[in-house]
Amino acid sequence: MSTVYRPTSNHVFNRQSVQSAIKWTQQRLKLYTTCPKNGLVVYCGLATTDADYGGKERRVAVHFEPHRPIKKFIYRCDSLFHIENLKELVASDDEDPFGFIVIDGNGVLFGSVRGTAREVLQKFSVDLPRKHGRGGQSALRFDRIRVEKRKYYVRRVAELATWHFVSNDCPVVRGIVLAGSGDLKDDLAKSKFFDPRMRSIIISTVDISHGGQAGFDQAITLSMDAIGSVALLHEKQLLERYMLEIERDTGRYSIAVEDTILALEMGAVESLIIWDDLELGRYELRHPATGEVSVSYLSSAQEKKKLPTKHVDLEVIKKESFLDWISDNYKKFGCRLEFVSDRSGPGRQIVMGFGGAGGILRWPVDFSHSAADDEHGSQGEESKGEDADGPGFDEEYDFEDGEFGL
């Protein structure tokens, strides 16, 4: 790896700090004799801690092998760590991929695409006879042989498609894309051997000029609009179901972070709906006097207002992003995690009106009781505080200490 500093942004950097970061990166690379199968991600640099932790500058060096392959080399020198290219890699493992069948007269390729990761499942070549005018009296026999081999080829592809994309009597992909340069893809879709369960989830049929790996890449490019439409359709159906529960007032829904967390702890959440750009922190707080540990979910604006109480400052034991925490722990609550965007009307309503979080519940839950209990508890604490601050504690009386034998 080169130690030459190559600026990739308009920011002005300390040359010595950048060269030190490159040397630290080289030290991390020495831990690997070969490049890992899925690639390698390295973040290295100087970071300043929060003011609550002293605001000191410390070295940060992180390296890991992603759980899915990365396909391109990226070098960035900037004032922050760029994670945009990793967002697709950390998509939920429960999310099914899209299946691709690239077929032409020279062979077939079966592939899958999940986010930015693509995988070739199987490919093989064939040598089908071509149309020609030779043969004389045998021309009809040659044409019959050509048609029979073509039908057998289509049948073989249909059987392999079922083997790759169907398991336990249901498809394991979100949709099927058929691609090819001739009529074979249409013959495959109409074939009686093509599984009806896959025929029902065909989302796009595209014409390509090549077969094999080059045709696979071209098919992905041409079907991006259809794949994006499927993702938006799933999001739309989910949010329509959520809004229908609210409209009917069934009680099988939660709104905002507080009620949703309460429903999670009860095990009542079936589908957890979270805005994919929600800026929320999870704080584990400890009371310095009693040692009692509590958990709060606060935005950056709420942090300074709500962490200190009236009489004592709570100690922050742990601080982490709510999105990171829920992505790691949602399975413990027995729910499905659904990230939504603000590109649709219902999505914007989730963000603007419901605080970016909500849930579809398995059974009705009345959150008014919990809210009333919290209000009653806070009023009780305030009344205790007023008694403690009343006469006999903080008031000063107009007499000398010696007048009453003190």
Side-chain angles (χ1 to χ4, degrees):
M1 181 178 178
S2 173
T3 58
V4 178
Y5 163 53
R6 294 178 293 163
T8 57
S9 72
N10 295 326
H11 296 281
V12 178
F13 300 101
N14 185 317
R15 186 183 184 88
Q16 184 177 359
S17 299
V18 174
Q19 290 179 341
S20 299
I22 294 176
K23 292 181 180 179
W24 298 334
T25 303
Q26 286 180 316
Q27 294 175 2
R28 293 297 186 274
L29 294 177
K30 290 180 181 179
L31 301 175
Y32 298 88
T33 55
T34 59
C35 182
K37 178 181 178 181
N38 293 335
L40 184 64
V41 179
V42 181
Y43 290 104
C44 196
L46 294 175
T48 305
T49 59
D50 296 338
D52 297 338
Y53 298 94
K56 298 180 180 179
E57 195 176 66
R58 64 186 183 90
R59 184 181 70 180
V60 176
V62 179
H63 60 97
F64 61 91
E65 177 187 359
H67 65 292
R68 292 176 186 160
I70 51 179
K71 299 297 183 181
K72 56 184 178 180
F73 171 80
I74 299 176
Y75 170 82
R76 291 288 184 272
C77 180
D78 209 336
S79 59
L80 72 161
F81 290 145
H82 288 267
I83 61 173
E84 297 84 1
N85 295 281
L86 296 179
K87 287 186 177 180
E88 293 291 342
L89 296 180
V90 297
S92 173
D93 292 332
D94 294 336
E95 181 181 336
D96 293 329
F98 291 93
F100 281 75
I101 303 176
V102 181
I103 181 173
D104 61 5
N106 297 319
V108 65
L109 180 145
F110 299 94
S112 65
V113 173
R114 189 200 306 263
T116 58
R118 62 189 69 181
E119 179 182 3
V120 176
L121 303 176
Q122 183 184 1
K123 62 180 179 179
F124 64 86
S125 301
V126 294
D127 186 14
L128 295 178
R130 308 290 181 178
K131 286 185 178 181
H132 57 81
R134 300 185 300 274
Q137 295 179 351
S138 301
L140 293 177
R141 180 170 59 88
F142 289 158
D143 185 66
R144 185 175 65 252
I145 293 174
R146 183 187 67 84
V147 172
E148 288 178 354
K149 288 187 176 182
R150 183 186 179 98
K151 288 183 178 179
Y152 177 78
Y153 174 50
V154 171
R155 178 178 179 176
R156 178 60 175 163
V157 171
E159 292 174 349
L160 288 174
T162 303
W163 187 78
H164 283 295
F165 300 133
V166 176
S167 178
N168 297 326
D169 295 330
C170 63
V172 295
V173 291
R174 301 170 64 186
I176 295 289
V177 176
L178 296 180
S181 57
D183 297 333
L184 279 171
K185 60 181 180 301
D186 299 321
D187 295 341
L188 176 63
K190 298 175 183 177
S191 173
K192 64 179 180 180
F193 300 108
F194 194 66
D195 198 311
R197 293 167 293 187
M198 290 190 296
R199 185 182 291 114
S200 62
I201 59 173
I202 294 178
I203 60 174
S204 179
T205 301
V206 297
D207 293 316
I208 56 178
S209 56
H210 303 282
Q213 183 66 51
F216 185 29
D217 297 338
Q218 188 178 5
I220 293 175
T221 303
L222 296 176
S223 61
M224 286 305 296
D225 292 339
I227 292 176
S229 299
V230 171
L232 290 177
L233 179 61
H234 172 72
E235 177 181 315
K236 180 181 178 182
Q237 293 174 343
L238 174 70
L239 295 179
E240 284 179 351
R241 180 188 171 195
Y242 178 65
M243 293 301 177
L244 185 61
E245 296 288 347
I246 297 177
E247 181 181 351
R248 292 179 176 178
D249 197 18
T250 60
R252 293 194 297 268
Y253 62 88
S254 63
I255 296 175
V257 176
E258 293 79 6
D259 290 349
T260 303
I261 292 297
L262 179 61
L264 275 176
E265 295 173 349
M266 298 169 59
V269 178
E270 177 183 344
S271 298
L272 178 62
I273 303 173
I274 301 294
W275 180 32
D276 57 6
D277 200 20
L278 180 63
E279 295 183 0
L280 194 71
R282 182 179 183 272
Y283 298 84
E284 292 185 9
L285 310 173
R286 180 167 56 200
H287 196 286
T290 63
E292 181 181 357
V293 177
S294 60
V295 178
S296 295
Y297 302 91
L298 305 173
S299 64
S300 56
Q302 295 172 323
E303 178 182 353
K304 296 182 179 181
K305 298 181 180 179
K306 291 192 174 182
L307 284 183
T309 62
K310 183 177 179 181
H311 300 288
V312 67
D313 290 339
L314 300 178
E315 178 186 356
V316 179
I317 303 176
K318 187 177 181 181
K319 173 185 175 182
E320 59 183 330
S321 169
F322 173 75
L323 290 181
D324 294 341
W325 175 81
I326 197 62
S327 298
D328 294 336
N329 296 276
Y330 74 95
K331 291 184 179 180
K332 299 179 182 178
F333 301 102
C335 66
R336 294 193 304 270
L337 179 60
E338 304 280 0
F339 286 108
V340 299
S341 65
D342 57 353
R343 291 177 290 177
S344 62
R348 286 190 293 271
Q349 188 170 355
I350 291 287
V351 175
M352 303 297 294
F354 301 155
I360 300 175
L361 310 184
R362 296 185 174 91
W363 61 80
V365 176
D366 187 4
F367 296 102
S368 60
H369 294 300
S370 60
D373 293 342
D374 294 341
E375 184 178 355
H376 178 72
S378 62
Q379 290 177 353
E381 291 180 358
E382 290 179 1
S383 62
K384 291 180 181 179
E386 291 176 357
D387 293 341
D389 295 339
F393 289 88
D394 293 333
E395 283 191 358
E396 297 181 359
Y397 296 93
D398 296 331
F399 55 80
E400 300 293 337
D401 292 344
E403 292 186 7
F404 289 89
L406 298 176

